[in-house]
Amino acid sequence: MAECGRVDSNTSHTMDKSITLPPDEIFRNLENAKRFAIDIGGSLTKLAYYSTVQHKVAKVRSFDHTAKYSDISPPYLYEISMQEEVTARLHFIKFENAYIETCLDFIKDHLVNTETKVIKATGGGAHKFKELIERKLGLKVDKEDEMTCLIKGCNFVLRNIPHEAFVYAKHADSEFRFQTTNPDIFPYLLVNIGSGVSIVKVESEDKFERIGGSSIGGGTFWGLGALLTKTKRFDELLQLASKGQHASVDMLVKDIYGGSYGYLGLTGDLIASSFGKSATADKEFSKEDMAKSLLHMISNDIGQLACLYAKLHNLSRVYFGGFFIRGHPVTMHTITYSINFFTKGEVQALFLRHEGYLGAIGAFLKGAEEDNPNQYSWGENYAGSSGLMSVSPDMNPMQRARSGTFDMLEMDRLERQLVNLPLLQDPSSYIPDTVDLTEDAPAREYWLYCFEEALDGVVKRAVASQPDMPEAALRAEKFRQKYRHKLQTLRQQPFAYGSLTVRSLLDTREHCLNEFNFPDPYSKIKQRENDIALKYYQKAVKSLDELSWEEKQFALVRGVLAGNVFDWGAKAVSEPAFMPLGGQTDFCIFFFIPLSERPWLVDSYDQWLERLKGPPHKCALFFVDNSGVDIILGVMPFVRELLSRGTEVVLASNSGPALNDVTNGELQILTERIAAMDPVIEAGLREDRLLLVQSGSSSPCLDLRLVVLVCDSTSLLFPSRLDKVLAMVVRERQTDLVIIEGMGRAIHTNYYAMLSCESLKMAVIKNSWLADRLGGKLFSVVFKYEVPVGKPNKDCGAFSPC
Amino acid sequence: MAFNGHQRDDDDIIDENETPSKQPRSDKEMPVHFRNEPNSESATTAGRATSDRRTSQSATRHRHDSVKKTRPPFPWFGMDIGGTLVKLVYFEPKDITAEEEQEEVENLKSIRRYLTSNTAYGKTGIRDVHLELQDLTLCGRKGNLHFIRFPTHDLPAFLQMGRDKHFSSLHTTLCATGGGAYKFESDFRMMADLELHKLDELDCLIRGVLYLDSVMSSGPSECYYFENPADPDHCVQKPCTLENPYPLLLVNIGSGVSILAVYSEDNYKRVTGTSLGGGTFLGLCCLLTGCSTFEEALEMASQGESTRVDKLVRDIYGGDYERFGLPGWAVASSFGNMMSKEKRESVSKEDLARATLVTITNNIGSITRMCALNENIETVLFVGNFLRVNTLSMKLLAYAMDYWSKGQLKALFLRHEGYFGAVGALLELLHPS
């Protein structure tokens, strides 16, 4: 049912309040905005628009080495340039209806070049503001059906935002238990609790049906609550309710039975009759108690009906939304309780992080159908999004006081559509992150502290990466403020962006850096280190070739591990005391890296060695980590050995920069240079047995569910000619070995990932806290070679029917 | 209120072929085999005979002689102590012989006289004279069945009376059901020196319903329904019988609501329940209007207009919400108009009482309908004291069942709305199962 109710049109009141709302912070990138949509509810307005964002990206370009440089050689092997790139972004903003006029004025003043003629509108309040919107913006208001918008929006967030849905558990260690993304979102039941309740069964993108509803909903709580308690505002009613004791108003089973009704298994505390004790004229009841009783009555009733409908239609996924739920822990708790009670735990009540935006998102999508937004993947931008409950007064009093109540969601269009890596054993149960910091309080404490402490260094690095830009310092300062604020928010609301993980902390930092045009703070460092490391490549290969076969295998593994120590993202390594290369020390130190002796913390080297004595793998997919020593002196010789054995190699590197991780662009240049020195690599490239692909990620971590499609199967001379799906490459080449390297990809994420083929996870633990947690010491080694259960150790193609 | 109830699978010993699904309708007596038994006032309930409800007719007859002596002494009461009301049924024997009369102790006479010569007891006790069943044969005795009720909070006064009238000296067994049988058991013992024989309320309810429907009294039919529920001008009450009623959804609306799926006389389960029941209606009405009795609340409701309080579909969409087949007159949000201050100030107490009644009634209808669908049952029987003198709710329920199920569901009602538990308790006294 529609969301109706208070629409405050008191203008003087509006003007008064508007001072506190910072429109320039909220309505970003308005210059190129188009395709507006608006959802006006009973008290909140949600505005959506599409815009393009210009931001800088770091590109690398190889110097021409084919020319004859006998005496003059360029200072570096490639040059770095900053280029402007335009990406698409969706903006969703939520603010109180009181601000609507001010907001419209602001939009009108800042909307420069738009061909937009129409604004899609939905929500119960849309018709009341129709005239105002048309007059202020000069756009024609085009009304869209509310339920259709809601469902469209719901499908969109469920498909695009990881950790969108959560279970609420008031008394658990973490109140929010986020659900892992399941690509199969249908069918589900959406229970929308506005002033009334609508129960909608959604079967596919375009097929949904309102199968039922109830008139006892949010409006009943609000209306009846206002009558009983003389409290006008919905929020205040909820606050009253959270302080009340319903047992003084409700007749419980024990009030009738004196205890439980054992015969039926009804416990004494169950409500037998809501308001059953207030059937008397001569007793006063407190507002709090009545509000609480009312809340229970309504939540239980809705929960019961939802269960009856879920049972009738045999559905187990039930999402709750509407203003009754929106960001209110009290109602999420009572609804959850009710669902648990009525289904005996068989159905879980699910809530959505962006539930408040569904209508606006849906209306926007309706208007943007010609752009086919559903064919793209979209990712939540952590820098531009407020996070869950940013406006909840219980959760975030600070922010509420700071400015008017507003909340934002920004989503970036991903250049590639992301799909699961086909080698995951069970994609539906795969969770990339090793530790969920929302649930692990000590780990959360540590990592938040760690990231906060590292912030100064990151800021310095960012400024240093742009020596020619005098305003870099100012931007870096803004970055510092933004990221610090995010960390503070996460300290208070670890659940703000779904499950909090080391990966999400790292990704948030990358998003914030990009936001302030620091696309690649490590570009210069990477350049220098790549350059130095290249000089030692031949020497390294030569010394390896002098070893016996068995010695060599160990030296190769040790080389990858030692190379991985050179990591600017790691706490221990980014400290000045440990800068072997940055300090221009002789490169020999590479061979004296303080690696721990075997047996390592996790050590299946013997099994790996045994495997190597067997037939070669068909194809290895190698997710690489850092640039410089790591990739050039650690990974490349390892790759070289695989190629020599007759194994094809697919090297997957980041699409965009993250810390000092090697990017696909850089890796292409490096590989080309190495090929010039090394006939094995050269032949590999030429014969298409060595392939460079993008991982699709710009994160130091790795989510194997969201791996790319686009890859560049080239021929370096014709980059990006052939776009091929990585997933396809993996299948075509019958990949039977996955190698994942580094802390971010193999420890923080994927440590427990189960693959359907052999896998090798290698990392050096460069953080003493983490080492401690895992029962090791700083620079402990993880060497985890795994063969899937049921697969013979030898000669087993990933897709062979063994 | 609770969810999945309980399946009486402990009763599955019966061979269905041998079990009559129902008492013979043609016979006024309850258990046929008790006819012409000799009086045996001295018999006690101590050695209860096993139930013959579940055994075959032939086996029952075979056992006649052994159960003859089990007829309990007078007075015969059945009691149901609910959350709000105590329901009491009393069998007044009209076939007392002169000899019996002489032997009868004074207390017994006094109780009989007190109950039958008054229609009101104390300030709150009431005998529903219109429900009285006359010339009933029970356990071989002819007499009248009286229906009495009083608020549960006046139970102490009742116990005091029982003490004053030396009820305990009669050595009778007081069969009681409802939650109060458990809650007040010790009060009965301490204040009135009475031992309660406690019985499950749902067992009693079903037993009572089936019994009262089966005794063809001279008065109006026990069971009825509403013809033309969609048309207020032609909506009329029509008598009917509960012939072949199974499966049956039995909705008992007392302070709270229990919904049972009944598959046979002794095979039933509690499907669910809701805490939004008669107690909620009265409780909210008292808070909203300052009234204090059910009758007052109903009276106000009959004069009010709920559409001033509720937000209808047409208030939001200007008419029907065609996309989802919702008619404009349907309530979109109960009390939804009360979100607005102006509208709060413009409604009357009568409007609020009416809206409360409509809200609670529709909600019960809605949950009932869903249960009927889930359980695949088409006959719904509404009972419970919420429906007492409450034609408004009954018509609403009849209409809701009919409209939302497109004529699939039929709502039935019973004249003795809230007394079935008490009747079931009385039957247990006379004929222990």
Side-chain angles (χ1 to χ4, degrees):
Chain A
M1 203 57 47
E3 186 183 292
C4 290
R6 182 182 65 102
V7 174
D8 200 337
S9 54
N10 183 327
T11 37
S12 68
H13 180 58
T14 306
M15 293 305 288
D16 199 32
K17 266 185 143 177
S18 69
I19 300 161
T20 58
L21 192 74
D24 51 327
E25 268 182 50
I26 302 167
F27 302 105
R28 305 181 342 135
N29 305 311
L30 265 181
E31 307 77 46
N32 303 307
K34 58 173 185 175
R35 298 206 195 290
F36 285 86
I38 196 163
D39 173 12
I40 308 179
S43 55
L44 293 173
T45 296
K46 282 78 70 175
L47 185 79
Y49 56 91
Y50 170 95
S51 185
T52 48
V53 193
Q54 275 216 330
H55 58 87
K56 293 209 163 42
V57 286
K59 293 274 178 190
V60 289
R61 197 169 64 95
S62 182
F63 287 112
D64 187 0
H65 292 273
T66 54
K68 293 219 167 23
Y69 292 108
S70 43
D71 4 277
I72 331 148
S73 88
Y76 297 110
L77 71 144
Y78 59 82
E79 63 175 350
I80 305 162
S81 63
M82 294 286 226
Q83 289 173 16
E84 292 285 337
E85 201 179 72
V86 175
T87 55
R89 188 174 285 181
L90 303 182
H91 297 257
F92 303 100
I93 302 108
K94 184 158 71 184
F95 51 86
E96 287 182 1
N97 285 353
Y99 302 119
I100 197 161
E101 199 165 350
T102 333
C103 290
L104 291 175
D105 282 335
F106 182 86
I107 292 165
K108 187 191 170 203
D109 293 346
H110 291 78
L111 203 56
V112 195
N113 39 17
T114 178
E115 70 272 35
T116 304
K117 301 273 182 290
V118 175
I119 179 166
K120 291 283 179 188
T122 188
H127 67 278
K128 288 182 184 155
F129 290 94
K130 183 175 186 283
E131 193 271 332
L132 183 75
I133 296 167
E134 293 190 334
R135 181 161 48 81
K136 291 271 181 192
L137 296 183
L139 299 175
K140 186 179 164 293
V141 172
D142 196 0
K143 259 210 94 179
E144 286 293 337
D145 175 67
E146 210 175 328
M147 196 57 72
T148 311
C149 292
L150 202 63
I151 303 299
K152 262 192 170 315
C154 193
N155 294 339
F156 185 81
V157 295
L158 285 175
R159 244 199 339 262
N160 285 288
I161 305 187
H163 295 163
E164 176 61 32
F166 61 88
V167 168
Y168 185 78
K170 190 183 177 188
H171 301 295
D173 285 345
S174 77
E175 290 167 89
F176 300 83
R177 284 215 318 279
F178 294 95
Q179 306 294 294
T180 48
T181 328
N182 185 345
D184 224 359
I185 63 172
F186 305 110
Y188 64 86
L189 203 61
L190 178 67
V191 181
N192 191 51
I193 315 174
S195 50
V197 181
S198 278
I199 300 177
V200 186
K201 176 185 176 183
V202 187
E203 284 174 285
S204 71
E205 191 57 53
D206 302 305
K207 193 176 172 209
F208 67 89
E209 187 193 353
R210 184 187 191 275
I211 54 172
S214 168
S215 68
I216 299 187
T220 314
F221 178 70
W222 195 345
L224 199 45
L227 288 168
L228 292 172
T229 67
K230 316 279 180 253
T231 304
K232 287 172 207 149
R233 286 180 53 99
F234 180 72
D235 287 6
E236 288 166 27
L237 275 168
L238 280 182
Q239 269 173 347
L240 279 182
S242 62
K243 287 181 248 162
Q245 299 294 327
H246 76 102
S248 61
V249 184
D250 289 342
M251 186 182 284
L252 309 183
V253 166
K254 68 181 172 201
D255 293 321
I256 300 176
Y257 273 83
S260 65
Y261 181 1
Y263 188 51
L264 286 183
L266 304 184
T267 63
D269 285 326
L270 285 181
I271 305 169
S273 174
S274 294
F275 287 91
K277 280 187 194 151
S278 67
T280 163
D282 42 51
K283 213 177 139 195
E284 288 287 314
F285 296 91
S286 83
K287 289 178 179 186
E288 287 82 0
D289 293 353
M290 288 187 290
K292 177 78 159 208
S293 174
L294 188 62
L295 178 68
H296 276 309
M297 174 180 111
I298 289 167
S299 299
N300 284 338
D301 194 52
I302 295 169
Q304 179 171 28
L305 274 171
C307 291
L308 287 166
Y309 278 100
K311 189 179 170 200
L312 188 64
H313 293 264
N314 201 15
L315 297 168
S316 58
R317 268 176 290 189
V318 185
Y319 299 100
F320 286 85
F323 81 72
F324 185 68
I325 297 293
R326 202 154 298 161
H328 299 296
V330 197
T331 54
M332 286 195 286
H333 173 63
T334 52
I335 289 283
T336 301
Y337 179 89
S338 168
I339 294 287
N340 282 340
F341 176 78
F342 283 109
T343 68
K344 297 191 174 130
E346 276 171 28
V347 174
Q348 283 189 318
L350 294 166
F351 304 96
L352 300 170
R353 271 201 300 138
H354 298 101
E355 187 276 318
Y357 288 110
L358 301 187
I361 293 173
F364 171 81
L365 292 173
K366 272 297 239 184
E369 264 161 6
E370 64 196 66
D371 283 348
N372 229 338
N374 270 334
Q375 77 176 16
Y376 298 103
S377 288
W378 299 83
E380 181 179 12
N381 186 304
Y382 295 139
S385 304
S386 314
L388 185 63
M389 301 217 158
S390 65
V391 295
S392 165
D394 319 337
M395 289 294 173
N396 204 347
M398 189 183 69
Q399 176 144 357
R400 200 180 166 85
R402 186 174 70 86
S403 61
T405 306
F406 67 91
D407 184 275
M408 294 144 71
L409 165 65
E410 292 183 7
M411 296 183 76
D412 290 322
R413 192 171 79 196
L414 307 179
E415 292 310 313
R416 293 154 294 273
Q417 204 168 4
L418 302 169
V419 294
N420 292 339
L421 182 74
L423 296 173
L424 279 174
Q425 223 174 60
D426 177 15
S428 62
S429 69
Y430 168 74
I431 298 169
D433 305 286
T434 307
V435 180
D436 184 345
L437 301 180
T438 9
E439 287 175 11
D440 188 335
R444 176 169 76 235
E445 196 97 333
Y446 170 75
W447 286 109
L448 284 170
Y449 157 80
C450 189
F451 276 85
E452 185 134 19
E453 212 196 32
L455 191 51
D456 281 342
V458 176
V459 168
K460 267 191 208 133
R461 182 79 44 214
V463 177
S465 72
Q466 298 178 350
D468 310 330
M469 300 186 187
E471 30 57 80
L474 191 65
R475 271 187 290 122
E477 201 44 50
K478 281 187 181 164
F479 154 74
R480 182 209 303 275
Q481 277 170 21
K482 183 130 199 176
Y483 190 57
R484 179 170 289 159
H485 180 71
K486 292 279 169 199
L487 291 175
Q488 279 164 358
T489 305
L490 288 167
R491 214 178 279 278
Q492 279 185 317
Q493 303 147 244
F495 47 78
Y497 299 95
S499 285
L500 182 67
T501 59
V502 174
R503 178 168 63 109
S504 74
L505 284 168
L506 285 163
D507 289 354
T508 306
R509 190 165 71 187
E510 297 300 324
H511 288 179
C512 290
L513 281 166
N514 277 327
E515 177 75 26
F516 295 100
N517 274 321
F518 292 108
D520 194 358
Y522 289 85
S523 57
K524 291 240 156 35
I525 292 172
K526 287 189 289 183
Q527 185 191 39
R528 192 168 63 234
E529 293 189 351
N530 284 334
D531 213 46
I532 296 170
L534 263 182
K535 293 189 172 112
Y536 292 87
Y537 178 77
Q538 278 170 308
K539 192 173 155 190
V541 167
K542 190 162 170 279
S543 60
L544 283 164
D545 282 344
E546 284 162 5
L547 299 172
S548 71
W549 182 83
E550 206 157 316
E551 283 170 345
K552 186 178 177 184
Q553 302 312 314
F554 183 71
L556 285 169
V557 165
R558 201 183 182 283
V560 171
L561 292 166
N564 195 245
V565 172
F566 293 85
D567 182 353
W568 288 94
K571 186 168 152 55
V573 188
S574 62
E575 278 157 14
F578 195 89
M579 277 196 176
L581 282 181
Q584 301 290 326
T585 323
D586 185 339
F587 181 69
C588 295
I589 196 163
F590 171 55
F591 299 98
F592 300 102
I593 288 293
L595 274 191
S596 58
E597 290 302 314
R598 289 191 63 201
W600 293 318
L601 183 57
V602 176
D603 191 340
S604 35
Y605 177 75
D606 292 343
Q607 288 92 310
W608 171 245
L609 188 68
E610 269 315 296
R611 174 65 187 86
L612 288 180
K613 289 174 184 165
H617 294 92
K618 255 185 127 44
C619 173
L621 171 62
F622 199 140
F623 289 97
V624 300
D625 189 8
N626 306 307
S627 55
V629 173
D630 188 344
I631 184 77
I632 296 167
L633 301 178
V635 173
M636 278 303 184
F638 195 94
V639 168
R640 185 176 186 270
E641 178 70 10
L642 286 170
L643 289 169
S644 307
R645 278 171 61 81
T647 302
E648 295 183 4
V649 180
V650 178
L651 278 182
S653 55
N654 267 6
S655 305
L659 295 168
N660 66 329
D661 293 5
V662 66
T663 65
N664 186 256
E666 290 158 356
L667 188 55
Q668 295 210 10
I669 294 167
L670 295 177
T671 312
E672 188 190 8
R673 292 286 294 130
I674 291 169
M677 301 184 269
D678 184 342
V680 180
I681 301 292
E682 193 272 336
L685 285 173
R686 186 161 34 81
E687 292 159 12
D688 199 29
R689 288 190 297 112
L690 172 60
L691 201 65
L692 306 181
V693 301
Q694 303 185 33
S695 72
S697 156
S698 302
S699 163
C701 296
L702 181 64
D703 182 346
L704 291 175
R705 285 167 313 178
L706 301 174
V707 176
V708 124
L709 316 171
V710 180
C711 78
D712 174 324
S713 79
T714 61
S715 164
L716 299 167
L717 297 174
F718 304 102
S720 297
R721 248 307 168 72
L722 278 164
D723 283 353
K724 269 198 186 173
V725 175
L726 167 57
M728 242 165 64
V729 171
V730 163
R731 275 201 196 93
E732 277 172 5
R733 306 214 166 200
Q734 302 187 346
T735 302
D736 52 358
L737 174 66
V738 171
I739 305 172
I740 308 177
E741 182 211 3
M743 273 219 310
R745 290 174 184 80
I747 306 273
H748 292 318
T749 53
N750 299 311
Y751 188 70
Y752 298 116
M754 301 290 280
L755 294 155
S756 58
C757 64
E758 293 171 52
S759 64
L760 188 55
K761 295 163 189 168
M762 290 185 276
V764 178
I765 301 168
K766 290 152 288 188
N767 172 299
S768 53
W769 182 88
L770 186 64
D772 199 44
R773 254 252 168 148
L774 296 172
K777 296 195 298 266
L778 191 62
F779 299 117
S780 283
V781 167
V782 170
F783 186 92
K784 200 175 182 188
Y785 168 64
E786 287 165 307
V787 180
V789 184
K791 297 258 177 184
N793 200 358
K794 286 175 185 177
D795 189 25
C796 186
F799 294 92
S800 63
C802 56
Chain B
M1 43 144 237
F3 186 45
N4 272 330
H6 127 113
Q7 180 93 29
R8 296 254 337 242
D9 47 10
D10 50 328
D11 286 352
D12 60 4
I13 42 161
I14 324 145
D15 181 346
E16 284 188 27
N17 292 327
E18 287 189 328
T19 309
S21 63
K22 207 160 185 287
Q23 295 298 331
R25 187 167 291 278
S26 57
D27 204 312
K28 276 194 188 183
E29 285 188 342
M30 200 222 147
V32 274
H33 40 275
F34 280 113
R35 203 185 323 226
N36 303 325
E37 285 174 39
N39 296 333
S40 52
E41 300 285 352
S42 60
T44 66
T45 56
R48 283 173 185 278
T50 44
S51 164
D52 58 355
R53 264 168 78 220
R54 296 177 218 152
T55 43
S56 70
Q57 291 283 26
S58 56
T60 309
R61 290 190 187 284
H62 183 69
R63 246 194 350 234
H64 257 194
D65 293 344
S66 64
V67 289
K68 269 179 184 173
K69 292 189 160 57
T70 61
R71 186 161 63 195
F74 287 124
W76 293 352
F77 283 111
M79 199 173 198
D80 177 4
I81 311 170
T84 311
L85 285 176
V86 178
K87 282 77 66 175
L88 188 70
V89 293
Y90 168 66
F91 182 77
E92 173 203 4
K94 298 294 268 186
D95 56 357
I96 299 172
T97 58
E99 191 189 348
E100 267 185 295
E101 178 108 30
Q102 266 192 339
E103 281 178 19
E104 200 175 31
V105 291
E106 196 47 44
N107 283 342
L108 193 56
K109 277 194 190 102
S110 138
I111 286 167
R112 189 167 73 231
R113 240 179 281 125
Y114 175 72
L115 290 177
T116 55
S117 59
N118 293 305
T119 57
Y121 316 95
K123 279 182 190 149
T124 52
I126 285 166
R127 182 154 64 87
D128 283 313
V129 184
H130 67 288
L131 293 179
E132 182 179 331
L133 290 178
Q134 293 180 344
D135 296 330
L136 196 69
T137 308
L138 253 184
C139 244
R141 300 299 302 254
K142 253 186 159 24
N144 299 340
L145 197 56
H146 297 276
F147 297 87
I148 297 159
R149 62 184 151 89
F150 59 87
T152 306
H153 60 76
D154 286 335
L155 192 67
F158 175 80
L159 292 178
Q160 189 59 45
M161 184 196 79
R163 192 165 134 131
D164 296 346
K165 294 195 181 293
H166 302 288
F167 202 90
S168 60
S169 67
L170 297 169
H171 303 293
T172 186
T173 304
L174 198 46
C175 279
T177 186
Y182 296 80
K183 185 181 179 183
F184 300 110
E185 187 183 14
S186 62
D187 292 344
F188 272 84
R189 194 182 300 128
M190 315 251 281
M191 289 175 68
D193 194 23
L194 283 168
E195 279 303 324
L196 289 184
H197 179 56
K198 305 191 294 293
L199 299 161
D200 179 71
E201 60 175 298
L202 300 183
D203 289 346
C204 289
L205 174 69
I206 290 173
R207 211 171 166 188
V209 165
L210 295 174
Y211 173 67
L212 279 196
D213 179 63
S214 71
V215 291
M216 300 279 275
S217 68
S218 48
S221 157
E222 179 62 29
C223 186
Y224 59 95
Y225 68 99
F226 289 89
E227 202 174 59
N228 306 317
D231 181 356
D233 297 331
H234 298 95
C235 177
V236 282
Q237 199 170 318
K238 290 271 179 177
C240 64
T241 54
L242 273 182
E243 237 162 333
N244 300 323
Y246 307 116
L248 173 77
L249 205 64
L250 179 58
V251 182
N252 184 34
I253 318 175
S255 312
V257 182
S258 274
I259 300 179
L260 317 178
V262 188
Y263 300 100
S264 73
E265 198 184 338
D266 37 37
N267 178 15
Y268 74 87
K269 66 174 181 183
R270 183 176 189 274
V271 179
T272 190
T274 166
S275 69
L276 284 83
T280 315
F281 164 64
L282 185 54
L284 281 174
C285 271
C286 291
L287 293 172
L288 292 170
T289 69
C291 72
S292 58
T293 68
F294 184 66
E295 288 76 7
E296 256 182 280
L298 275 184
E299 176 58 25
M300 275 199 278
S302 71
Q303 290 161 23
E305 185 58 70
S306 63
T307 54
R308 283 198 275 265
V309 180
D310 295 338
K311 198 182 276 290
L312 307 186
V313 168
R314 65 163 177 259
D315 295 333
I316 300 170
Y317 295 97
D320 299 348
Y321 190 5
E322 280 159 19
R323 175 85 172 75
F324 297 119
L326 288 176
W329 52 259
V331 183
S333 172
S334 297
F335 286 84
N337 279 340
M338 298 297 92
M339 291 187 278
S340 136
K341 187 167 180 282
E342 297 77 54
K343 289 191 173 151
R344 279 201 295 276
E345 281 158 3
S346 72
V347 294
S348 68
K349 287 181 173 181
E350 288 75 14
D351 295 339
L352 292 172
R354 179 67 164 241
T356 310
L357 188 74
V358 170
T359 301
I360 299 295
T361 306
N362 277 338
N363 189 59
I364 293 169
S366 170
I367 291 173
T368 300
R369 199 175 61 83
M370 287 309 297
C371 290
L373 279 172
N374 271 323
E375 301 300 323
N376 206 9
I377 294 177
E378 290 183 356
T379 310
V380 182
L381 184 58
F382 290 98
V383 297
N385 265 322
F386 174 65
L387 301 176
R388 193 172 62 78
V389 295
N390 188 358
T391 316
L392 213 57
S393 286
M394 288 192 282
K395 285 187 173 176
L396 214 54
L397 286 170
Y399 177 58
M401 289 304 106
D402 184 70
Y403 181 85
W404 295 109
S405 75
K406 302 190 170 71
Q408 282 287 300
L409 286 178
K410 192 163 191 183
L412 304 176
F413 303 90
L414 296 176
R415 238 166 36 91
H416 287 84
E417 291 115 2
Y419 283 109
F420 301 104
V423 172
L426 173 65
L427 294 175
E428 183 66 28
L429 169 75
L430 303 177
H431 185 63
S433 58

